[in-house]
Amino acid sequence: MATCEVCGNEYDKAMRISVGGGDAHTFDSFECAIQRLAPSCAHCGCRIVGHGTEAGGHMYCCAHCARHAGESRIKDRV
Ligand SMILES: [Zn+2]
Ligand SMILES: [Zn+2]
């Protein structure tokens, strides 16, 4: 039995995810893992689960958000 570190749920099939060979985190679902591990967009605040766009040291969910935040050189991958 393991306890999800996000919602505190106890679950016998909990998943353990280690990031960059560092600490291992315990979650009961991907939803909780994303909430804890995924970066959030610096413009709209949504969780970046895919590739995202990095600009000026900030992570954005898409080029649209990066542009809104003032990064004019960013283009969506085509
Ligand atoms: Zn959870
Ligand atoms: Zn965004």
Side-chain angles (χ1 to χ4, degrees):
M1 202 65 119
T3 304
C4 173
E5 64 180 63
V6 173
C7 67
N9 188 30
E10 288 191 357
Y11 188 46
D12 60 351
K13 293 183 184 65
M15 59 181 87
R16 287 178 67 76
I17 299 175
S18 57
V19 181
D23 294 342
H25 299 278
T26 306
F27 306 105
D28 63 339
S29 64
F30 276 113
E31 193 181 341
C32 288
I34 287 166
Q35 200 173 107
R36 175 71 173 77
L37 298 177
S40 46
C41 175
H43 178 68
C44 71
C46 74
R47 293 290 169 179
I48 301 166
V49 182
H51 287 289
T53 299
E54 195 178 346
H58 297 286
M59 288 293 293
Y60 300 97
C61 64
C62 60
H64 178 84
C65 281
R67 274 197 297 271
H68 266 273
E71 300 290 342
S72 54
R73 290 159 301 160
I74 305 299
K75 288 196 179 77
D76 267 317
R77 266 173 264 213
V78 287

